[in-house]
Amino acid sequence: MVASASSSTVRARFCAAFVAFAATLVAFSTAAAATLKSVRFGVTSPSETRVVLDIDGKANFVMAADPEGAGALIVDLARTRVDGDGARARKAGGLVAQYAYGRSAKTGARVVLTFAATAKVARSFVIPPGDAAPHARLVIDLVAADKKAFLASVPKRAPSLDAVIAT
């Protein structure tokens, strides 16, 4: 009887430790993922538009042109969830006619910016959280340009726009 009591105590302790470990892993993986909170546009001139993605976590991103180079910028955000319903196309501003965002099966979150007029990425950078904003901001400055300049301003073309946003 003594052996079975200590065996069940060991099993109980092991189960408790395993549950605590699993809960720690879940908490860590949830904390490590960022959330795309919003997408904002600032029109600084008829030929310049600033796009700001508000992200409550680390902003790991890759930009690509649409497969045909027809005038859409794709921004993939690694390990990022989306906040709210972004799957439907929304009106934007300036050089961006509309945008949509949602979950991407391959990356985490994907934002698609469809141009009103062809533009290139002049620069992109991340502003870390601070006193002005409690979240990170991915800033993408767009400048009116031709298709060749657009394609040269992004590192690659996306393999497909099929199922761009998987809900």
Side-chain angles (χ1 to χ4, degrees):
M1 280 263 189
V2 173
S4 82
S6 75
S7 174
S8 64
T9 303
V10 168
R11 251 185 301 201
R13 285 183 181 168
F14 174 77
C15 287
F18 180 77
V19 168
F21 176 71
T24 302
L25 283 179
V26 169
F28 176 75
S29 67
T30 302
T35 302
L36 174 63
K37 303 300 272 180
S38 67
V39 180
R40 300 179 285 126
F41 299 88
V43 180
T44 54
S45 78
S47 63
E48 298 176 324
T49 301
R50 175 166 276 186
V51 182
V52 179
L53 282 61
D54 295 310
I55 304 166
D56 76 347
K58 192 170 184 176
N60 291 319
F61 69 99
V62 175
M63 291 187 289
D66 62 288
E68 296 80 31
L73 179 65
I74 300 161
V75 182
D76 286 331
L77 300 158
R79 297 187 47 82
T80 303
R81 298 181 300 264
V82 295
D83 194 17
D85 177 29
R88 70 184 195 289
R90 299 168 188 245
K91 190 172 178 154
L95 297 169
V96 181
Q98 63 183 13
Y99 71 101
Y101 61 89
R103 289 183 299 123
S104 171
K106 292 183 180 179
T107 62
R110 174 169 279 183
V111 179
V112 179
L113 307 169
T114 305
F115 295 145
T118 307
K120 71 175 185 173
V121 177
R123 66 185 182 147
S124 61
F125 56 95
V126 175
I127 300 172
D131 294 335
H135 52 268
R137 290 160 286 169
L138 168 56
V139 178
I140 304 168
D141 287 334
L142 302 172
V143 177
D146 61 16
K147 180 178 176 178
K148 185 177 178 181
F150 165 56
L151 293 174
S153 74
V154 291
K156 63 177 184 165
R157 288 193 187 179
S160 172
L161 282 181
D162 296 335
V164 163
I165 298 172
T167 54

